[in-house]
Amino acid sequence: MNINLSDVLSSVGNRMDKEVTVSDLETGYFGESLRVSSKTPFTLTVVCVSKGVVEITGGTVITTVRPCGRCLTDVKCEYPISVNCRVNVSKKELYIDNTSETDEISYIEDCTLDVDGLILDELFTKLPMNVLCKDDCKGICKVCGTNLNTSSCDCDQTVPDPRMAVFSDIFKDFNKEV
């Protein structure tokens, strides 16, 4: 969803409260597909605090579906998103904690605010690298790919000591010669 900021930027003190909903998003996140499955409408407030600078505030809860890091089953995760930033629209800079440091932003183009981009920027700061379906997830079998949480398999799960690999190679070669 895009919001035109030109009316708010016309004079200092202008305010716009807009009821917004995040679109159905699917994006890549460190090699995995991240789907936003559920989102609640929320009010985004935009206030012109000085010439060309707006303050954007709002909050919502985003529910995503991500694969478990061990067994690859879908896991629903909820993340509270809180937006509170000041943006210089003409320079496309984000003011961080009222300091002189600035950060370049990508969710404002000309006088248009991309709400989905803003929410994704906030969401990416909340996401853990990996999620698990449960703390004691057994994962999948390395040999046959069976989900070990739901069934078992008869595959050989022994992991040979890599320091002994030289000896096993010798024994394999010896058995071939005999």
Side-chain angles (χ1 to χ4, degrees):
M1 174 179 207
N2 292 330
I3 298 175
N4 188 348
L5 300 177
S6 57
D7 292 340
V8 174
L9 290 169
S10 62
S11 75
V12 175
N14 280 358
R15 175 188 178 108
M16 173 177 39
D17 294 320
K18 183 92 169 175
E19 185 80 15
V20 295
T21 304
V22 179
S23 307
D24 291 328
L25 297 173
E26 187 163 341
T27 185
Y29 180 72
F30 287 101
E32 76 178 56
S33 176
L34 176 71
R35 293 185 322 261
V36 175
S37 65
S38 169
K39 58 265 174 200
T40 54
F42 65 102
T43 302
L44 196 66
T45 302
V46 182
V47 178
C48 183
V49 291
S50 66
K51 184 174 175 146
V53 178
V54 293
E55 184 174 76
I56 304 169
T57 56
T60 187
V61 175
I62 302 289
T63 304
T64 64
V65 177
R66 299 180 63 194
C68 173
R70 292 184 186 157
C71 68
L72 302 177
T73 58
D74 285 343
V75 180
K76 283 191 176 185
C77 305
E78 286 189 351
Y79 302 103
I81 303 296
S82 176
V83 177
N84 187 3
C85 60
R86 284 184 181 220
V87 178
N88 186 332
V89 177
S90 59
K91 294 181 181 178
K92 290 176 58 172
E93 292 178 338
L94 174 70
Y95 294 100
I96 302 170
D97 298 323
N98 296 327
T99 63
S100 61
E101 296 181 31
T102 59
D103 192 16
E104 190 173 331
I105 57 170
S106 60
Y107 47 84
I108 291 186
E109 187 67 36
D110 298 326
C111 282
T112 305
L113 171 66
D114 178 15
V115 176
D116 296 338
L118 173 66
I119 295 300
L120 276 178
D121 276 4
E122 293 295 322
L123 180 63
F124 285 157
T125 63
K126 305 264 187 218
L127 293 176
M129 290 293 293
N130 213 354
V131 295
L132 297 177
C133 58
K134 55 186 178 180
D135 288 337
D136 61 341
C137 177
K138 296 177 184 175
I140 57 175
C141 174
K142 295 174 184 158
V143 178
C144 67
T146 301
N147 186 343
L148 298 174
N149 295 316
T150 57
S151 62
S152 61
C153 64
D154 295 329
C155 297
D156 183 17
Q157 298 293 328
T158 59
V159 178
D161 188 347
R163 297 171 295 182
M164 304 301 276
V166 173
F167 295 115
S168 67
D169 290 342
I170 290 172
F171 286 121
K172 285 179 188 174
D173 291 341
F174 180 73
N175 289 335
K176 288 179 187 176
E177 292 175 4
V178 174

